[in-house]
Amino acid sequence: MQQQISADGVRPPKTSSNSFEWPGNGKASNLALPLELLILLGAGILAAGLHQSFRLPLRLPGYHGIEWLAILTLARLISTRPGAGMVTGLGAATAALVYAGGFGFDGKSAQMLTYILQGCILDALIFKSRITFSAFIWVPLVGAVVHMISPLVKNTFVSLGSSALNFGSLLNGISYPLMTHALFGATGSALGLLIYLGTRKKQQS
């Protein structure tokens, strides 16, 4: 079936596995590198600021993954340069360092490391992707995997540290936190994808 073309001659964006343009597979960025780096760092700082500013007693480990993965995924999809996720994670880690007031073998340092690892892994799974199925499946799946890194890092810190390290979300084991982090991570990445598609459609209309 022939694809419809709008009155101004622009084809509407598609999201099928054969048409979605993964970052790095299309045209180069129009932004100057220093400006793009500042935007990506700022996105990470914003995410970390939201994490520190809004702490709700929901008893649901990982609920901040909704805004964090939405921002991280959106930054990764918008940028056509390699390492966009890592730079965004570095921005979040830098903000976390400022909030923490320094390094230490503690939960705040675990959060800094988590931000950077999440950005790097998101880069690896999305940049120049050759996935052959829908972005609406792959991106939320990536978000789930990426956000599950958080309880794994915390658990590693506990294993390598002492009993003084105490993460409330891990008191009853790691299975439940892994499940909730996967859910919130998938939700956040799906939200980031929808925002990306919405802004791209508006630019092309």
Side-chain angles (χ1 to χ4, degrees), residues 83-129:
M86 180 191 68
V87 174
T88 306
L90 182 61
T94 302
L97 174 62
V98 173
Y99 281 111
F103 291 103
F105 199 78
D106 53 21
K108 294 176 181 178
S109 294
Q111 185 64 63
M112 296 176 213
L113 177 61
T114 298
Y115 281 139
I116 296 173
L117 285 176
Q118 288 175 324
C120 290
I121 293 176
L122 193 82
D123 276 333
L125 295 176
I126 288 184
F127 186 69
K128 290 190 175 181
S129 177

Side-chain angles (χ1 to χ4, degrees), residues 11 16 22 27 29 33-34 40 61 97 100 103 130 140 149 156 165 188 198:
R11 295 178 184 273
S16 69
W22 297 101
K27 63 182 180 179
S29 175
L33 178 58
L40 294 172
L97 174 62
F103 291 103
R130 294 291 185 270
I149 294 170
T156 301
L165 272 173

Side-chain angles (χ1 to χ4, degrees), residues 21-167:
E21 189 174 281
W22 297 101
N25 291 337
K27 63 182 180 179
S29 175
N30 294 324
L31 291 176
L33 178 58
L35 177 59
E36 187 164 344
L37 287 175
L38 286 174
I39 292 172
L40 294 172
L41 288 169
I45 292 170
L46 171 63
L50 290 173
H51 190 163
Q52 292 294 327
S53 301
F54 298 99
R55 295 184 176 275
L56 305 176
L58 298 180
R59 305 284 184 181
L60 294 171
Y63 67 89
H64 278 293
I66 295 177
E67 77 269 10
W68 165 230
L69 266 297
I71 291 172
L72 181 62
T73 301
L74 180 61
R76 174 62 280 175
L77 291 175
I78 288 176
S79 176
T80 61
R81 301 183 193 273
M86 180 191 68
V87 174
T88 306
L90 182 61
T94 302
L97 174 62
V98 173
Y99 281 111
F103 291 103
F105 199 78
D106 53 21
K108 294 176 181 178
S109 294
Q111 185 64 63
M112 296 176 213
L113 177 61
T114 298
Y115 281 139
I116 296 173
L117 285 176
Q118 288 175 324
C120 290
I121 293 176
L122 193 82
D123 276 333
L125 295 176
I126 288 184
F127 186 69
K128 290 190 175 181
S129 177
R130 294 291 185 270
I131 293 301
T132 58
F133 48 86
S134 173
F136 285 109
I137 297 175
W138 182 243
V139 172
L141 181 60
V142 168
V145 171
V146 165
H147 201 37
M148 287 168 69
I149 294 170
S150 179
L152 292 175
V153 169
K154 290 177 180 177
N155 194 59
T156 301
F157 266 61
V158 171
S159 300
L160 297 178
S162 65
S163 57
L165 272 173
N166 182 18
F167 296 103

